Each structure stands twice: as structure tokens, then as C-alpha cells.
Amino acid sequence: MDCKSLTFKLLSGQDMPLIGFGTFQIRGRSLIKDVLDWALACGYRNIDSAAVYGNEHDIGLALKDLLPKYKLKREDIFITSKLSPSDQGDRARNAVANSLQNLQCGYIDLYLIHWPGASGTPTNSTENAKLRDASWASLIKAKEEGLVKNIGVSNYMVKHLTELLNNCYGVKPAVNQVEWHPGCHEAQLKKLCQKEGILLQAYSSLGGTGNKSLLDDPLVESIAQKLNKTPAQILLRWAVQQNIAIIPKARSRERIEANISLDFVIPDEDMVALSNRKSERYAWNPHSVK
């Protein structure tokens, strides 16, 4: 079992690595190059970014140097970016083009609507639904033009995803990236994604930060000790073992390597115990967006 080679066949037929490298809150040309260098060295081939992360340009510059270093071609790397809520609507196609210009990578493998709402629009406004519908139509144009190979969504709950599937202009979302960990996982959402062939991708796999982190959870710690793994590895493996994609971020070489070293199995009883942990959402709550 080599987790580095695990992939999911998207609706387009393209294979997407199940384990990706997240870059949220990682900025600065030197730091970006260092972490991507370490990530590529230990086997990551999936890089996740977003317009609002402010690091697309530095990622593009880093890859120009690093791909030749590891004898990799553009098609060996899977790159994801996301639509800023400020570009929700008819501007979405141009936002893809802008991300592509920043990344300087020829095409983007996956582009997601980052949030079901729009900047400056109240969460309870029906205008959000109109704008994300316009965004989807615009992303289809970008896909048809070859700017992006796959399009999808992020932070879409069952109601948002059902709405999109009922009016997707013949193009289903390839991926739905949501907060997903033992304290936050909705069975109905997972069931819907599986039924429609949509890859469920987790962010915030380790929970929150500081005293809100799941890394110090007694149950997680006990399973980690039993299996001689780190708490982070347990939380990441919990998702991968369910065929859910992950995008852990890290700034140190040691943690970057550990996060992709998931070639072990969590016993069934421990998987159940983790899944039965109390409900706890650490990031944003998309349920509030109408």
C-alpha cells in the first residue's frame, strides 16, 4: 500500500492524487519555494491554492525551477485554485484567466468556487444563489476554452450541491472541498457526493488551532500511541481510509514528510470511535449561506 500513488478518477476521466499539499496561509517567495521543494521531494504531486491565498504567483515561479529539478513535466503535477468570493458571478471566467496568468502553468487542473456566497452580499440573500449559478456558467466557459480541465466547488453543503446538480448546464462538479474531520463530517453530504461521482476533499483535517486542535484530543492521542503514529497521521489517515482526499499544509520538512507517510491501517473499531466523536466545526459555517 503506497498512499503516495492513491488517486481518484474524476468525472472527466483525469486521475487526481488523493493526497495534496495545502498552501493556505503560506506566503512569501522563499518559503513557498522551500515547502514545495520538500513536498515534491517526498512525493506530493497535488498542490492546492486559491486566489485569496495570495500565493499563486510565487507557486508558479517556484514550479518553473522545481519541476526540472525533479525531472517532472507539467502534466505530472495536479494544480488546484479557487474563485474569490469577490469574483462570484459573471467575472468568474476572467478570474480563472487571472489565476492561470499568476500560476504560469499552461492550464489549471481543477478550479473551485471557493464559497457559496458572494462578498458584500448578506448570507441570507437569494442573490447568492443567482451569483453562484452565474459563476458556474462562467467556469464552464473557462473549461471549454481549455483554461481549466475540471471545475468544482468548495464549502457546498447538501442544499447548495443539490441546487447545482439540478441546474449544472450538463457539467457536474468534479470535487467538493469542505471542512472534514472526526468532529465535522456529514453523512448525507458524503452519500450525495458518492452517488454523483463527486470527490469529497477535506480541509482542516486536524481541526482548528491551539486549544481547538484535534491533535490533543485524548482519543486521537490514544490511537496514535497504539499504532506508533503521530496524532496528525491518525487524523489524515482517517479520511484517506474512507477514500476522501486531503490537503494538509505544513512549513517544516519533517511534518511535510510525515503528512504523506500514511501507509498504515486504522482498525475498524478505532475508525468507528473517531467517527462517533462529538460534532465540532472549526472553520466557517456554510450552512448559513442561502
Side-chain angles (χ1 to χ4, degrees), residues 8-16 18 78 80 109-113 136 139-140 143 148-154 156 161 164-165 168 170-177 192-194 196-201 243 245:
F8 182 93
K9 190 170 289 295
L10 300 176
L11 292 169
S12 65
Q14 184 179 4
D15 289 326
M16 174 178 168
L18 210 61
F78 192 100
T80 298
D109 292 280
L110 174 65
Y111 197 85
L112 309 177
I113 296 177
W136 193 251
L139 293 189
I140 290 175
K143 184 175 185 290
V148 59
K149 289 184 176 291
N150 304 275
I151 55 177
V153 295
S154 179
Y156 271 43
L161 196 54
L164 174 57
L165 289 167
C168 64
V171 182
K172 290 182 182 181
V175 171
N176 185 17
Q177 185 183 114
L192 177 59
C193 287
Q194 289 177 333
E196 300 293 340
I198 300 167
L199 174 62
L200 194 60
Q201 186 178 44
N243 207 34

Side-chain angles (χ1 to χ4, degrees), residues 110-269:
L110 174 65
Y111 197 85
L112 309 177
I113 296 177
H114 205 157
W115 182 252
S119 295
T121 303
T123 56
N124 62 353
S125 171
T126 56
E127 190 67 18
N128 287 301
K130 295 176 184 177
L131 287 169
R132 60 179 176 261
D133 176 73
S135 291
W136 193 251
S138 294
L139 293 189
I140 290 175
K141 291 179 183 177
K143 184 175 185 290
E144 291 171 344
E145 293 173 30
L147 302 180
V148 59
K149 289 184 176 291
N150 304 275
I151 55 177
V153 295
S154 179
N155 294 298
Y156 271 43
M157 301 292 95
V158 169
K159 62 180 179 180
H160 307 121
L161 196 54
T162 301
E163 169 197 87
L164 174 57
L165 289 167
N166 287 335
N167 188 29
C168 64
Y169 306 100
V171 182
K172 290 182 182 181
V175 171
N176 185 17
Q177 185 183 114
V178 297
E179 179 180 357
W180 196 272
H181 49 70
C184 179
H185 54 99
E186 299 180 24
Q188 191 178 358
L189 181 60
K190 182 182 177 183
K191 183 178 179 180
L192 177 59
C193 287
Q194 289 177 333
K195 176 187 173 185
E196 300 293 340
I198 300 167
L199 174 62
L200 194 60
Q201 186 178 44
Y203 73 77
S204 291
S205 295
L206 310 184
T209 58
N211 59 6
K212 291 184 178 181
S213 172
L214 288 172
L215 296 174
D216 299 323
D217 184 273
L219 174 62
V220 176
E221 286 188 324
S222 68
I223 296 172
Q225 289 175 5
K226 181 172 73 172
L227 300 180
N228 195 27
K229 301 296 177 182
T230 67
Q233 287 174 315
I234 296 301
L235 292 165
L236 295 170
R237 178 66 202 180
W238 172 84
V240 170
Q241 201 159 307
Q242 300 174 70
N243 207 34
I244 293 170
I246 56 172
I247 45 169
K249 67 174 182 181
R251 291 179 174 83
S252 75
R253 185 166 194 161
E254 180 183 18
R255 289 184 179 178
I256 289 171
E257 291 176 347
N259 287 345
I260 201 172
S261 301
L262 304 176
D263 298 339
F264 65 96
V265 175
I266 299 175
D268 290 344
E269 62 271 20

Side-chain angles (χ1 to χ4, degrees), residues 7-145:
T7 61
F8 182 93
K9 190 170 289 295
L10 300 176
L11 292 169
S12 65
Q14 184 179 4
D15 289 326
M16 174 178 168
L18 210 61
I19 301 178
F21 183 74
T23 64
F24 176 53
Q25 294 180 331
I26 300 180
R27 294 189 182 189
R29 188 167 300 178
S30 177
L31 178 59
I32 284 288
K33 189 171 183 180
D34 282 345
V35 297
L36 290 182
D37 194 351
W38 299 330
L40 292 174
C42 60
Y44 290 85
R45 296 295 182 262
N46 180 348
I47 300 166
D48 181 90
S49 183
V52 298
Y53 295 176
N55 58 18
E56 290 175 323
H57 183 65
D58 289 336
I59 289 173
L61 290 175
L63 290 178
K64 281 188 177 295
D65 290 337
L66 295 174
L67 293 188
K69 176 179 178 179
Y70 292 101
K71 296 181 173 57
L72 295 170
K73 298 177 181 178
R74 167 63 186 91
E75 55 267 31
D76 296 323
I77 301 295
F78 192 100
I79 299 175
T80 298
S81 195
K82 309 181 195 77
L83 179 73
S84 168
S86 63
D87 288 322
Q88 191 84 277
D90 295 331
R91 295 191 297 271
R93 182 266 170 211
N94 289 338
V96 177
N98 188 57
S99 287
L100 183 54
Q101 184 177 13
N102 285 332
L103 288 162
Q104 304 175 62
C105 59
Y107 60 89
I108 298 173
D109 292 280
L110 174 65
Y111 197 85
L112 309 177
I113 296 177
H114 205 157
W115 182 252
S119 295
T121 303
T123 56
N124 62 353
S125 171
T126 56
E127 190 67 18
N128 287 301
K130 295 176 184 177
L131 287 169
R132 60 179 176 261
D133 176 73
S135 291
W136 193 251
S138 294
L139 293 189
I140 290 175
K141 291 179 183 177
K143 184 175 185 290
E144 291 171 344
E145 293 173 30

